[in-house]
Amino acid sequence: MGDKNLTDEEIKDIKRDFVWTSSKEFLEKFNKELIPKVFDLISNKGSSRDVFLIDKKYVAKVAKSLIGARQNKTEFDVYAYSTLKEKEWLTPVIDISVDHSVLIVVKVEPFPENENIPDLQLIQDIVLRNELHEPDLEKKENWGVYGSRKRKVLTDFGCTKDMFNNEYGIWIRELEEKKIPAVIELISRNLDEVVSNHHSYNIIEKFKRNISIESFQEQLKWKKIYLVESPTSIIATGAIENIGTKKSPKYCISNFFVCPDLHRHGFGNYLLHFLLSELKSRKDVIYVYVSSSRNAVEFYRKNGFVQSEIQDDDEYEIVWMKLRFM
């Protein structure tokens, strides 16, 4: 059913007379242009899709762009190809339009504000197999509760890593020597603006003495140092190193900093998950360690790290933490 020739009165009549029968019939009658005129908008937080209430049991996710249509198709495929056990963590997906502009899913209740979302380790198979953008999955607004058992389910799982990169122009690349000065500037800003609020002056000065162009050039010989970049700036940096031996490796995440202006925007999680994915591809990794500044302990804890049996380093006022791979 198109809407180009419909008057306001005709649209009111459609809304008044609408009765849900089946997803197939709904998609035959309503397209992405007509749905916003007939049904109530219940969420427009996403940059690529709006959500409309079409029945007390169902909602329609309507794409606002090509990215939105791709997200609809991703959610449809993720749900379709998940196991029955995996589907217990996902909002049930009912149907999708031929052009992927409209996705019909079951209506769920908002996630309780006083509760924590489930540990993402429980859905790692879904995340890794579909290369989903994990920071989105950590937002409480992308979770809900479903059914009489109040099961916790993901409500928004359509964004992949590639979609995020393409939409925002953000990529993770290995550090090149020519970018070392910009990385030093980013780290120095963190030390002055963030870390200094949690550590003594002497410790900050010790940290600063350890960052130089020469030290980074040397580190590049034995560390993998990565950058999160936009077309105009470096957003974050982090490294993977083996602080053990070849026979008895002990992998550590280090040099982990996010531009102070962009804290709490998901970039730290984005980079951390990338580094962990790189380590998971190695067969000899059981634990991953990190020497955390005081201000970052809670960040790592939220991502599954616990305090390590390695003694805290009082000299640098850092806390050693570790994550065990499942």
Side-chain angles (χ1 to χ4, degrees):
M1 179 187 295
D3 69 318
K4 292 182 179 179
N5 300 317
L6 294 175
T7 65
D8 291 343
E9 287 301 316
E10 287 173 322
I11 290 174
K12 288 180 182 179
D13 289 341
I14 293 170
K15 186 172 184 177
R16 184 193 64 229
D17 297 337
F18 173 75
V19 177
W20 173 268
T21 53
S22 69
S23 59
K24 181 179 180 181
E25 185 173 333
F26 178 86
L27 292 173
E28 287 175 349
K29 289 183 176 180
F30 296 95
N31 58 27
K32 66 177 183 179
E33 286 79 23
L34 184 56
I35 289 174
K37 296 184 178 181
V38 176
F39 300 98
D40 294 330
L41 176 71
I42 59 174
S43 175
N44 63 349
K45 294 179 181 178
S47 60
S48 304
R49 297 183 292 179
D50 287 334
V51 183
F52 296 88
L53 181 66
I54 57 176
D55 180 77
K56 63 181 181 179
K57 293 183 178 180
Y58 306 106
V59 300
K61 296 186 177 185
V62 178
K64 296 189 280 188
S65 63
L66 181 59
I67 288 288
R70 288 177 62 195
Q71 289 181 357
N72 278 347
K73 182 63 165 61
T74 297
E75 278 189 20
F76 183 83
D77 288 344
V78 168
Y79 189 80
Y81 298 113
S82 291
T83 66
L84 291 176
K85 187 175 181 180
E86 290 171 340
K87 286 179 179 177
E88 291 183 359
W89 295 105
L90 304 173
T91 298
V93 174
I94 306 302
D95 210 343
I96 192 169
S97 61
V98 175
D99 64 356
H100 308 152
S101 63
V102 180
L103 180 74
I104 300 174
V105 304
V106 168
K107 180 180 180 292
V108 301
E109 298 303 316
F111 196 88
E113 288 191 10
N114 61 343
E115 294 187 27
N116 296 322
I117 65 170
D119 186 343
L120 292 189
Q121 290 293 321
L122 297 168
I123 58 169
Q124 275 302 294
D125 286 346
I126 301 174
V127 174
L128 294 176
R129 186 172 64 246
N130 296 284
E131 298 188 341
L132 300 181
H133 180 59
E134 287 192 57
D136 277 357
L137 311 184
E138 296 173 337
K139 298 176 182 177
K140 193 175 288 189
E141 65 194 54
N142 291 334
W143 287 80
V145 291
Y146 170 61
S148 58
R149 292 166 51 201
K150 300 295 182 181
R151 196 172 73 215
K152 296 176 180 179
V153 293
L154 269 172
T155 59
D156 191 332
F157 46 95
C159 186
T160 65
K161 293 177 182 178
D162 280 348
M163 285 184 210
F164 180 83
N165 292 341
N166 289 329
E167 183 172 11
Y168 296 101
I170 293 169
W171 298 95
I172 294 179
R173 298 183 175 94
E174 287 192 40
L175 173 63
E176 303 170 78
E177 281 200 27
K178 65 182 181 180
K179 296 178 182 177
I180 289 176
V183 172
I184 291 175
E185 181 180 357
L186 183 150
I187 294 174
S188 297
R189 281 195 61 199
N190 266 276
L191 294 175
D192 289 335
E193 298 175 29
V194 181
V195 184
S196 61
N197 296 322
H198 304 268
H199 290 266
S200 64
Y201 173 81
N202 289 337
I203 292 299
I204 298 300
E205 291 305 304
K206 280 186 179 181
F207 284 147
K208 286 183 177 180
R209 286 197 292 270
N210 288 335
I211 55 172
S212 66
I213 291 177
E214 292 75 21
S215 68
F216 267 96
Q217 288 172 334
E218 188 63 28
Q219 288 177 55
L220 283 173
K221 297 176 183 178
W222 52 278
K223 273 186 186 181
K224 287 280 190 180
I225 304 176
Y226 296 92
L227 306 177
V228 179
E229 295 182 281
S230 74
T232 57
S233 65
I234 294 173
I235 295 171
T237 184
I240 295 172
E241 59 179 305
N242 179 10
I243 59 175
T245 64
K246 285 187 177 180
K247 288 185 178 180
S248 210
K250 184 174 286 186
Y251 290 101
C252 179
I253 290 174
S254 62
N255 293 30
F256 197 95
F257 295 94
V258 178
C259 178
D261 301 330
L262 296 172
H263 283 198
R264 303 186 184 281
H265 283 67
F267 295 114
N269 286 322
Y270 179 48
L271 178 57
L272 181 62
H273 294 149
F274 170 83
L275 298 177
L276 293 176
S277 295
E278 289 292 298
L279 288 167
K280 282 178 182 177
S281 66
R282 308 183 186 195
K283 296 179 181 179
D284 57 349
V285 182
I286 299 176
Y287 287 102
V288 178
Y289 294 86
V290 63
S291 55
S292 175
S293 57
R294 291 171 174 173
N295 56 289
V297 168
E298 189 58 27
F299 166 77
Y300 290 115
R301 187 174 287 128
K302 286 181 178 179
N303 280 283
F305 285 79
V306 297
Q307 193 161 341
S308 171
E309 69 278 0
I310 298 176
Q311 294 298 310
D312 294 352
D313 192 333
D314 293 331
E315 182 184 355
Y316 282 94
E317 299 176 358
I318 59 176
V319 178
W320 279 95
M321 304 184 76
K322 68 179 181 180
L323 173 71
R324 181 184 175 89
F325 283 156
M326 297 177 68

